[in-house]
Structure formats: structure tokens, C-alpha cells
Amino acid sequence: MSSLAYQTGAMIRATVLFLTIALLSACSSTRTAYRYADWGVNWWVDDYVTLTGEQEQQLARDLDNLRQWHCTAELPRYRQWLHELVRDARSGDLDRARVSYHQQRLFDFLPGLLEQAAPTATNLLASLSDEQVAQLARNMARNHGEMEEKFLLDSPEARVEARAERTIERIENWLGPLNPRQQRIAREWSESRGRQTEIWLEGRRNWQLALLEALEERDSPKFGEQIRYLLMNSEEVRGEPYKEMMAESRVAMADLMYELIEAGAPSHLAHLEERAVELRGDFRALTCSAA
């Protein structure tokens, strides 16, 4: 299920990525990952643009406020969802409709977080100098080129195999080692994804270019609204092919998870229950005043 959660784009969406890393990560310490999410955002941003000391301090304050809100308002929702997932895994009540329900619950966590992250992103982006914007543009282009080399230079067969390996790795984080039938299902699913990787990369670049265009008007009173739009309407900004691909992929991923559960053994549901219990306990143990 971790591959369902969040498709990250460029600098703004890194805030969301690191604040929700505890939910998605296979890290052995969810609590540590969550508490140091602000450090992760700073590290990620620094890979794209060099901030001044004043900018770093403002970002740290904004991220602390965002994390405090997230811990207080959102973690109880995560725990409630995980409670339902534990209950369903324990009872074996994971038919196709129930799998789709849990997928939608995961997606439902995103809009509120993006809404709250918009002022943090706006504050940082509005403070960038012309030189910093130019540096950001260069580094985004460099990073995108590296992504294309990583995902597109191999043969189509190699790309399918790599996608299958990534899919299996993510699923095994929730279900444990897959049996041969499950692995075959996952590989056949990966083969059916067509141009998904190319469309994802095209959409990613479209979003980056839209951000750079918005930055040309970062002194405008409407700049905050532009950044909020980029966050809240990411799929639309990335283009119609991306939007259609994501809609189809969500249905396909829910079907995949159902088929994998159907093809599994009681041990797979037990592993899912164990992971959900572990995460629920980690979130319950977090204190919202922790640094």
C-alpha cells in the first residue's frame, strides 16, 4: 500500500513527503523519522537551492508549526485508520470493496496536509532571490535529467522488470515475502502499466515548469494563491495524460492489492496486521511537543 500514498513532485511537495514519511517508510524507527522530518525537509531543499541563515530560520519555524498541527490534528486520524486496518486484517474482512476503502482513506489524508503546507511553501519561495531561483531551475533540470537516465535509458523490458521489483519491495513491506503466485501477479501488473513511467516524468516536469513560471511573480499579492493551486491541483497541472494515468492507476492498484491478498496465505494477513499494529503504536507514542 505504500506505493499508493503520495506521488511527490518538486520542492513544495517535499514538505508533505517528509512529514508523512513515518507512514510510508520501512525505517526501523517511525518515531525517529517523524520527529526529524523537519531536518529531512531542510536537507532536501538544500539539494536544490542554498538558503540564507534567515531563510533557514524561517523555514525551521514554519516547519515546526506545521508538524505541531500535523501531530495534533492528523495523527489521531492515522491511528483511527490503522485501527480499522488492524481489525479488517485480523478478521480477514478485506474484500475488493474494503481494499478500495482503505486506499481512499490513505488518499484522504493528503488534501488537508497540502492546505496547511501551502503557507510554509509560500514563505520560503517568496523569499528567494533571482540568483536562488536560477539555481533552483538549474538543479531541477539536472535532477530531472538524472531521473530520465535512471528510468528511461534501459530497454522497455528492463524498465518493466525494475518496476516489478519496486512494486514487490513496497508490497512486501506490508504483506511480507510474496509467494510465487503473488510475484507472478505483481509482475503481470507491472507489464500492464504501459507508458506510466514516461507519463509520470512528463507530468513531473510540467509541474516544475509551472512552479518556475509562478516564481516569476513571487512579489505579487496573488503568489500565495498560485502556490496553493499548484499544491491542491497537482494532477491537473501535470497534464491530462498524467491525470488519466493516476485515475486508472488507483483502480488498478486497488485491484492488485485485492488479488495479492486473495492469492496469499494467513501469514500475509498476519504480517499486514503486525505492520499496522506497529505503526499505530508508534503514532500513539509520539508526543506533539517533542522536538
Side-chain angles (χ1 to χ4, degrees), residues 4-22:
L4 299 176
Y6 307 114
Q7 300 286 336
T8 58
M11 186 169 71
I12 296 177
R13 293 177 74 83
T15 303
V16 177
L17 169 64
F18 280 98
L19 281 172
T20 56
I21 195 172

Side-chain angles (χ1 to χ4, degrees), residues 198-208 237-238 242:
E198 291 89 336
I199 293 172
W200 174 75
L201 284 168
E202 291 167 4
R204 183 177 186 271
R205 188 56 178 160
N206 288 341
W207 193 93
Q208 290 178 339
V237 174
R238 292 173 188 236
Y242 181 93

Side-chain angles (χ1 to χ4, degrees), residues 10-261:
M11 186 169 71
I12 296 177
R13 293 177 74 83
T15 303
V16 177
L17 169 64
F18 280 98
L19 281 172
T20 56
I21 195 172
L23 183 60
L24 309 181
S25 178
C27 176
S28 59
S29 177
T30 299
R31 282 168 277 182
T32 299
Y34 189 88
R35 285 174 175 151
Y36 287 92
D38 52 355
W39 178 86
V41 173
N42 278 285
W43 174 83
W44 197 93
V45 169
D46 189 57
D47 193 46
Y48 281 86
V49 61
T50 303
L51 301 182
T52 66
E54 183 178 350
Q55 287 170 327
E56 289 179 344
Q57 292 174 7
Q58 182 62 54
L59 178 60
R61 288 192 294 268
D62 288 345
L63 287 174
D64 184 63
N65 291 335
L66 182 56
R67 185 175 56 179
Q68 289 296 317
W69 165 82
H70 187 264
C71 186
T72 302
E74 295 296 275
L75 286 192
R77 298 177 64 211
Y78 289 9
R79 292 195 296 268
Q80 177 58 37
W81 167 64
L82 288 165
H83 174 77
E84 294 182 31
L85 185 58
V86 169
R87 183 194 62 202
D88 289 350
R90 186 170 294 165
S91 67
D93 183 21
L94 281 169
D95 59 16
R96 195 180 299 273
R98 202 62 185 167
V99 169
S100 296
Y101 166 80
H102 285 295
Q103 180 193 50
Q104 187 58 49
R105 285 295 303 273
L106 258 170
F107 279 118
D108 287 345
F109 293 139
L110 186 56
L113 183 53
L114 291 172
E115 185 81 50
Q116 291 292 323
T120 296
T122 299
N123 286 342
L124 174 62
L125 294 168
S127 74
L128 297 182
S129 66
D130 289 345
E131 292 77 12
Q132 287 174 314
V133 171
Q135 181 188 26
L136 173 62
R138 289 194 302 272
N139 285 332
M140 286 200 300
R142 169 189 55 79
N143 178 265
H144 189 76
E146 292 172 353
M147 296 288 282
E148 287 185 328
E149 289 184 7
K150 178 180 179 181
F151 291 114
L152 297 183
L153 285 188
D154 291 331
S155 67
E157 294 77 15
R159 292 201 292 269
V160 168
E161 177 63 24
R163 183 190 300 148
E165 293 298 327
R166 291 193 301 270
T167 300
I168 290 172
E169 180 181 358
R170 291 163 179 165
I171 292 170
E172 287 187 337
N173 182 45
W174 287 91
L175 297 183
L178 301 185
N179 62 38
R181 182 185 172 195
Q182 290 172 315
Q183 290 194 25
R184 185 172 63 254
I185 290 171
R187 292 184 185 282
E188 290 174 353
W189 181 87
S190 296
E191 291 174 1
S192 71
R193 293 300 86 211
R195 293 186 64 253
Q196 180 169 293
T197 302
E198 291 89 336
I199 293 172
W200 174 75
L201 284 168
E202 291 167 4
R204 183 177 186 271
R205 188 56 178 160
N206 288 341
W207 193 93
Q208 290 178 339
L209 293 174
L211 171 62
L212 292 174
E213 183 178 353
L215 282 168
E216 294 298 317
E217 301 179 19
R218 60 191 180 281
D219 294 330
S220 167
K222 295 184 178 181
F223 180 64
E225 295 177 16
Q226 291 178 290
I227 296 305
R228 181 183 177 278
Y229 181 85
L230 288 176
L231 278 172
M232 303 300 295
N233 300 277
S234 173
E235 291 185 10
E236 182 175 337
V237 174
R238 292 173 188 236
E240 193 61 29
Y242 181 93
K243 187 176 179 180
E244 293 176 359
M245 182 267 289
M246 285 299 297
E248 191 275 334
S249 292
R250 290 177 184 179
V251 175
M253 180 60 79
D255 288 342
L256 171 65
M257 292 303 299
Y258 171 73
E259 291 176 12
L260 290 171
I261 290 171

